[in-house]
Amino acid sequence: MQPARPASAGPDPTGSALPLGSGFDPATHRFRYYDFVMAAFVTVLLLSNVIGAAKPTFITIGGEQWIYGAGILFFPLGYVIGDVLTEIYGYARARRVIWAGFGALLFMAFMSWVVVSLPPAQGWDGQAAYESVFGQVPRIVFASIIAFWAGEFVNSYVMARMKVWTSGKMLWTRTIGSTIVGQGVDSLIFYPLAFWGVWETGQVITVMITNWLLKVTWEAVLTPVTYLAVGWLKRREGVDVFDTATDFTPFSTKV
């Protein structure tokens, strides 16, 4: 990774990169907001899977109803935060957050299974509702966790590479471009693993493409929010990390 872009090197996409000098080391630098961004990422990830995943809803387009999971309204926020993490702190620190989210999902799945499996106390009539919300089919849980892991790492990798290719310019190209690829991988893994053989093949493909398009569109709509967050964080962290010499293996938590 290289230190913050000097002011004389040309404008950053947000115009907010600050020079820190040649002694800056992102591996040891104390970031002011990194832990808050990590907490936001894991929170959005868990809540979008718990609260939104269990409820199907629909949108009417051209007089036709398109059904999708309610969680899709908030799940892409995780990709927005992931983009901000990679843009500000670099791939290595984003990788740590992805692993934190992966661990949180595993624990959530385990805790849900334990709580749902415990026998309800006599007189409590909420077991059916609990099973409906938290008793997801293990196949769907497995597909969701694997799809998240692969999609997020692809998203972060593309984001980091495109930042170097574009010399830090045109932020929107890498936020949307990384989401197109990352969400594509997520959808290509999740829907076949979760529903192939359960739904008709045509339905699996239709829902997969529809949800992918909705997620990418939502990411594009949130581009101004991403710009604001990136600009604000760069000014306060005083850093603009470029992954020019980063080990991009996902199987590490080293910075």
Side-chain angles (χ1 to χ4, degrees):
M1 300 181 193
Q2 71 182 47
R5 176 189 298 277
S8 61
D12 176 79
T14 62
S16 56
L18 301 177
L20 291 179
S22 59
F24 172 74
D25 181 3
T28 58
H29 180 70
R30 290 179 64 101
F31 293 102
R32 298 169 62 186
Y33 298 100
Y34 173 73
D35 51 348
F36 291 108
V37 180
M38 175 187 284
F41 178 86
V42 175
T43 298
V44 170
L45 175 65
L46 294 180
L47 293 182
S48 61
N49 275 275
V50 172
I51 298 177
K55 180 178 180 178
T57 184
F58 69 90
I59 184 173
T60 302
I61 302 177
E64 183 177 353
Q65 289 187 359
W66 295 80
I67 298 175
Y68 62 94
I72 198 175
L73 296 175
F74 297 95
F75 181 75
L77 290 175
Y79 273 77
V80 171
I81 299 173
D83 288 344
V84 171
L85 277 164
T86 305
E87 176 72 17
I88 304 297
Y89 304 104
Y91 175 88
R93 286 188 176 272
R95 176 173 56 197
R96 290 175 64 85
V97 176
I98 294 170
W99 276 112
F102 181 78
L105 279 178
L106 285 178
F107 179 76
M108 181 191 72
F110 172 72
M111 181 175 176
S112 297
W113 172 74
V114 171
V115 172
V116 170
S117 299
L118 290 173
Q122 186 175 3
W124 186 68
D125 59 358
Q127 181 66 17
Y130 240 73
E131 291 178 357
S132 175
V133 175
F134 298 106
Q136 298 183 49
V137 177
R139 174 179 172 178
I140 296 177
V141 174
F142 172 77
S144 177
I145 293 174
I146 296 302
F148 155 78
W149 183 88
E152 279 292 346
F153 270 117
V154 169
N155 181 81
S156 185
Y157 174 83
V158 172
M159 183 80 181
R161 286 299 198 189
M162 287 188 68
K163 183 174 183 179
V164 175
W165 297 340
T166 60
S167 299
K169 301 176 182 178
M170 298 182 296
L171 174 62
W172 65 272
T173 61
R174 52 187 182 274
T175 58
I176 297 176
S178 62
T179 299
I180 289 173
V181 181
Q183 291 281 13
V185 170
D186 184 294
S187 297
L188 282 171
I189 292 175
F190 174 71
Y191 290 101
L193 278 181
F195 301 112
W196 201 273
V198 178
W199 296 351
E200 294 183 359
T201 301
Q203 184 179 10
V204 173
I205 296 174
T206 298
V207 173
M208 179 175 65
I209 294 175
T210 301
N211 279 267
W212 173 71
L213 288 173
L214 286 172
K215 290 175 183 178
V216 173
T217 301
W218 194 212
E219 168 77 20
V221 170
L222 291 174
T223 295
V225 177
T226 305
Y227 265 78
L228 289 173
V230 166
W232 189 85
L233 282 169
K234 281 185 179 180
R235 286 191 297 271
R236 282 154 180 77
E237 298 285 25
V239 62
D240 193 10
V241 176
F242 283 69
D243 289 290
T244 55
T246 300
D247 179 4
F248 283 100
T249 176
F251 302 104
S252 174
T253 56
K254 293 183 180 179
V255 177

